[in-house]
Each structure stands twice: as structure tokens, then as C-alpha cells.
Amino acid sequence: MTGMCPFCKEAVELKKTAKEGDLVVCKACGTELEIVSLKPVELDWPLDDYDEDEDYDYEDDDYDDDYDDWEDDD
């Protein structure tokens, strides 16, 4: 089974045990790709599962809610 690298357009060989969600590397250009579909074979750049808000602790930020009390030194 083969797919096409979306970056360099070369054929990428998939193992017989490949399944959707697996990561493969294009041997021609070294790009890491995710198997999006097997019928038909579709490869794409993997999505980053990191949620920007997931690890952010809003209580620890330096934002001052009392901005009305800010004094201008001029």
C-alpha cells in the first residue's frame, strides 16, 4: 500500500499493519506524516493536539485587574 507525500509528491510505502492515525516518514524528504485515510490512502501533516488554553493557569498571570487604580507618574 502506498500514499503520496503532500510535500514532495513522492510515494510513501505503508506497512500492511498501518492504520488511520499512524505516523509515517517520507523517505524522500523526511517529512513526518499522519495516515488520515486508508481507502483511499491519504497522508497529511499531523495536527498538533496541544490545546493552548489547556496548560495555562490564568490565576498565575501578571495581569492586574485593578487597572483603574493605575497611577500615571507624569
Side-chain angles (χ1 to χ4, degrees):
M1 199 170 9
T2 62
M4 184 179 73
C5 176
F7 184 72
C8 71
K9 309 296 186 219
E10 292 293 323
V12 178
E13 282 291 323
L14 305 180
K15 295 180 181 179
K16 291 183 181 185
T17 58
K19 59 186 181 298
E20 290 181 12
D22 285 353
L23 297 177
V24 295
V25 175
C26 174
K27 290 183 181 180
C29 68
T31 300
E32 184 178 60
L33 303 165
E34 180 178 355
I35 301 172
V36 177
S37 173
L38 289 173
K39 293 183 181 179
V41 174
E42 183 181 349
L43 304 175
D44 204 349
W45 292 275
L47 294 177
D48 187 7
D49 288 337
Y50 179 74
D51 183 3
E52 291 180 20
D53 293 333
E54 183 177 354
D55 293 332
Y56 188 77
D57 187 357
Y58 290 98
E59 293 180 12
D60 289 341
D61 65 9
D62 292 331
Y63 181 74
D64 186 4
D65 290 332
D66 298 326
Y67 62 88
D68 290 335
D69 297 335
W70 182 71
E71 295 180 16
D72 190 6
D73 292 337
D74 292 327

